[in-house]
Amino acid sequence: MAQMNDEAERTALKLLVVLSKAYKSVMEEAVKDIKTYGLSASEFGILEVLYAKGPIPLQQIGDKILITSGTITYNIDKLENKGLLKRVPCEADRRVTFAELTEAGAALFDEIFPRHSNRMESVMGGLSTERQKETIELLKALGKGVALSNKE
């Protein structure tokens, strides 16, 4: 077995492990909180996008929350059956359909989003607000670096 002698390689691999474990821990808490509202993480993500951005074409939702089009359709159907959102045809282009929160969906999110936000603040409490901001910038730089390395 080849030995890792290069400190840069060891550090990069350690970063990968630490980042993966941190992500897993944070997401487990986020999903646990989301489930208390009777929603899946995908359903919550869709509602959150619509709550923040307003009506959005169905085709664009997946890009905003990083799920596949098949998963989007399935979850849109579930949320529509729960009365939390509706499909609205685009008048200018019949190929486009918007997802829009219903009054019930907006009311639900008015109630649950502040609680979820508060819980996520608590989950992130291991870092001060200043260190959270620094971490955001570091993770953005990491993501951009990955994108650049893929272009080489």
Side-chain angles (χ1 to χ4, degrees):
M1 183 185 307
Q3 226 179 346
M4 285 188 296
N5 293 323
D6 186 72
E7 182 182 1
E9 283 182 14
R10 287 192 305 273
T11 302
L13 290 172
K14 181 166 181 133
L15 174 58
L16 176 63
V17 170
V18 170
L19 184 61
S20 296
K21 287 181 178 181
Y23 175 79
K24 182 178 183 279
S25 296
V26 168
M27 287 309 296
E28 283 175 356
E29 288 302 312
V31 169
K32 189 184 335 176
D33 183 66
I34 288 167
K35 285 183 178 182
T36 66
Y37 309 122
L39 298 168
S40 70
S42 295
E43 290 172 321
F44 186 90
I46 291 167
L47 292 176
E48 184 177 24
V49 166
L50 296 175
Y51 188 73
K53 306 276 187 195
I56 295 179
L58 295 176
Q59 302 86 332
Q60 293 179 15
I61 293 173
D63 293 338
K64 305 257 186 236
I65 59 172
L66 307 176
I67 59 177
T68 65
S69 61
T71 305
I72 290 289
T73 301
Y74 172 74
N75 284 289
I76 293 288
D77 288 345
K78 284 174 53 181
L79 291 166
E80 194 171 37
N81 289 336
K82 291 179 180 182
L84 300 176
L85 68 74
K86 61 185 173 184
R87 288 178 169 95
V88 179
C90 176
E91 292 180 16
D93 186 346
R94 294 182 346 174
R95 297 169 297 175
V96 177
T97 301
F98 287 86
E100 182 178 317
L101 286 179
T102 61
E103 284 185 31
L108 173 68
F109 231 71
D110 282 342
E111 177 188 336
I112 69 174
F113 189 72
R115 295 190 336 225
H116 178 71
S117 179
N118 185 268
R119 177 68 186 124
M120 292 306 95
E121 179 185 5
S122 176
V123 166
M124 300 298 177
L127 297 176
S128 67
T129 301
E130 192 55 42
R131 291 203 67 194
Q132 288 178 38
K133 289 177 183 177
E134 291 170 15
T135 302
I136 289 166
E137 293 308 311
L138 290 169
L139 291 172
K140 283 180 180 179
L142 179 62
K144 287 177 184 174
V146 170
L148 289 175
S149 73
N150 286 334
K151 291 181 180 178
E152 295 174 354

